Amino acid sequence: MSLILVVNSGSSSIKYQLIDAQTEQRQASGLIERIGESMGRAVHRAGSESTERELPIRHHGDGFRAMIAAFEREGQPLDRCNLGAVGHRVVQGGSEFVEPALIDDEVAAKILDLAALAPLHNPGHYQAILAAREAFPKVPHVAVFDTAFHQSMPPAAYTYAIDAGIASAHGIRRYGFHGTSHQVVAQRAADFLNKPIHSLKQIVLHLGNGASACAINAGRSVATSMGLTPLEGLVMGTRSGDLDPGVILHLLRRGFSVDELDELLNKRSGLVGLAGSNDMRDVRAAADAGSGNARLALDVYARRIRHYVGAYLVELGAADALIFTAGVGENHAPLRAEVCAGLEMLGIEIDAARNASPETGPRRISSDASRVEVLVVPTDEEAEIARQSWQLVSGSGAQGESG
Ligand code: ADP
């Protein structure tokens, strides 16, 4: 019964995993992509088997049904799996959702209402939720929000200094994202250090295609770099991160449309804007081969991270742990070295050999002399969504390592 179907619907895709919330064992996973295009694609994996199909997928409801069909074709029909819950990742939970919620009609309607704040994500979540509830009416459905973990931020950390009436009328404030990842990584870091999380001050750097930093005091988010939308903060694969808002006004006056600016800042900025690729491996290779643009992109990327590390050290008063996670954070030692270079005076010192180790599990990369523990801790948002969903529906909670 602790088998959870985790559904992660993006703007034009649905990723899914069938996970046992208690053992974290994956039974199957897959990806439905190019939703809304003339031809979509469904990839399904179970064990070492992988199958792939092309078919038109009009919307997320169709996508969800394509996923059900893939399970059936592979001889593992979901309606006979004894699902404990379906756990839906939801990007925007606004100020209302501070923890996972059991989805009923009212919660589903609120998720759709919040589409005003997350137009690329919440409509797809809503459609996938409708299709999922229709397909599995007897199974509890749980929404796990990217924003929920950051609802503990104090007002001074989430308030933008604009006209208070306009901000309130339009829901404008910092919400923060990647909350599920920051939360599970902070807990796993505490487990690794063998210390209770409430005794720790941590800075988590989630550096994937999207990237954000989070200051965590006693297991609670007190500051994070993403804002009203996942565009603010660190330099990302294709997103600009922090920018003078005057740039947008300037380009609007120069004749750019809102859609063009959206595309520019979300899809054609960050690493891809500066160096032509959103993949850190390509950018590093180009820099190593002498490209000045790629070198500058890496410098801007690392400098922005250091800016937030400095800010969060001040915010927290000190840090016990600085933690790298996600695609770049877990795999790219040179960037970790650049972020930590010259920070010995702040108690941050990494050990070159430990940093270069090809290990993949949670590990320490700081030197024995470093006052701050510098760690690499793999994130696992799907396992955390499964754990939180199971905890909500079972009442007692999944007693996993990150409990
Ligand atoms: P997402 O935000 O889409 O979940 P990930 O956390 O998987 O992304 O991160 C993807 C990014 O991680 C890639 O675009 C690439 O820049 C980086 N990455 C992945 N593997 C490596 C690696 N071995 N070395 C350097 N960078 C890597």
Side-chain angles (χ1 to χ4, degrees):
M1 272 304 268
S2 57
L3 202 56
I4 311 292
L5 177 67
V6 175
V7 178
N8 180 352
S9 39
S11 50
S12 64
S13 69
I14 300 178
K15 290 188 208 150
Y16 58 89
Q17 292 193 7
L18 187 61
I19 306 183
D20 186 315
Q22 288 182 306
T23 62
E24 291 187 3
Q25 195 205 359
R26 263 80 173 165
Q27 297 208 354
S29 64
L31 167 69
I32 310 290
E33 61 179 354
R34 300 192 208 130
I35 295 174
E37 291 181 29
S38 56
M39 193 52 85
R41 198 166 80 108
V43 182
H44 185 81
R45 293 178 212 92
S48 54
E49 299 283 306
S50 173
T51 58
E52 200 176 313
R53 280 206 158 192
E54 298 230 318
L55 71 166
I57 305 167
R58 288 171 304 169
H59 46 59
H60 285 71
D62 269 3
F64 195 84
R65 285 181 281 276
M67 177 202 70
I68 293 176
F71 274 99
E72 274 167 12
R73 270 198 313 279
E74 297 313 308
Q76 192 182 24
L78 282 168
D79 51 5
R80 278 190 241 135
C81 278
N82 209 5
L83 285 178
V86 181
H88 297 265
R89 173 192 176 224
V90 177
V91 165
Q92 179 55 274
S95 303
E96 321 199 4
F97 294 106
V98 300
E99 53 189 21
L102 207 53
I103 302 176
D104 55 16
D105 292 345
E106 199 185 329
V107 168
K110 279 188 186 159
I111 290 171
L112 185 59
D113 274 354
L114 288 164
L117 292 172
L120 291 180
H121 291 98
N122 278 36
H125 298 326
Y126 178 74
Q127 281 178 9
I129 286 168
L130 280 191
R133 291 179 76 206
E134 193 182 302
F136 307 112
K138 298 215 172 78
V139 176
H141 293 257
V142 178
V144 178
F145 300 92
D146 265 23
T147 46
F149 180 59
H150 302 300
Q151 282 296 310
S152 50
M153 285 187 295
Y158 67 69
T159 302
Y160 290 117
I162 63 166
D163 180 287
I166 290 180
S168 155
H170 296 278
I172 292 177
R173 49 159 285 180
R174 179 182 309 283
Y175 293 100
F177 299 88
H178 288 147
T180 310
S181 176
H182 287 299
Q183 185 175 11
V184 68
V185 167
Q187 181 61 55
R188 287 181 178 191
D191 294 344
F192 176 83
L193 294 171
N194 212 6
K195 296 205 170 129
I197 195 162
H198 61 74
S199 71
L200 294 175
K201 294 175 191 288
Q202 299 169 293
I203 299 173
V204 177
L205 301 172
H206 176 114
L207 310 175
N209 234 325
S212 67
C214 185
I216 300 171
N217 191 1
R220 291 161 66 82
S221 168
V222 294
T224 193
S225 59
M226 281 178 168
L228 173 78
T229 73
L231 187 52
E232 192 181 354
L234 304 182
V235 176
M236 313 187 205
T238 63
R239 290 173 238 162
S240 62
D242 292 340
L243 194 73
D244 174 359
V247 172
I248 297 166
L249 303 179
H250 180 72
L251 290 176
L252 278 171
R253 290 198 185 101
R254 289 269 155 153
F256 280 72
S257 70
V258 171
D259 286 344
E260 281 168 342
L261 285 175
D262 192 326
E263 152 112 9
L264 172 72
L265 298 177
N266 279 299
K267 306 221 168 104
R268 291 200 287 124
S269 297
L271 292 178
V272 81
L274 292 174
S277 168
N278 66 334
D279 194 305
M280 179 55 83
R281 288 161 287 199
D282 298 341
V283 180
R284 178 70 58 182
D288 289 348
S291 158
N293 289 345
R295 186 62 257 168
L296 178 63
L298 294 176
D299 291 346
V300 175
Y301 187 98
R303 189 184 174 91
R304 186 79 51 82
I305 296 170
R306 287 161 66 88
H307 174 94
Y308 277 93
V309 170
Y312 291 171
L313 279 171
V314 172
E315 180 80 37
L316 292 167
D320 300 295
L322 172 66
I323 306 148
F324 288 87
T325 193
V328 175
E330 290 168 32
N331 297 302
H332 201 51
L335 184 271
R336 296 194 297 256
E338 285 160 0
V339 168
C340 297
L343 300 187
E344 293 78 10
M345 77 290 191
L346 297 173
I348 296 172
E349 183 181 280
I350 61 172
D351 177 278
R354 287 178 190 162
N355 187 37
S357 155
E359 262 183 86
T360 54
R363 56 200 186 274
R364 176 182 282 107
I365 59 168
S366 41
S367 70
D368 293 340
S370 183
R371 220 170 43 240
V372 179
E373 304 267 13
V374 186
L375 308 178
V376 177
V377 176
T379 188
D380 193 340
E381 288 166 282
E382 285 79 11
E384 180 64 8
I385 291 170
R387 188 191 69 80
Q388 292 190 13
S389 302
W390 175 238
Q391 187 168 28
L392 185 69
V393 301
S394 69
S396 57
Q399 302 298 319
E401 57 164 0
S402 22

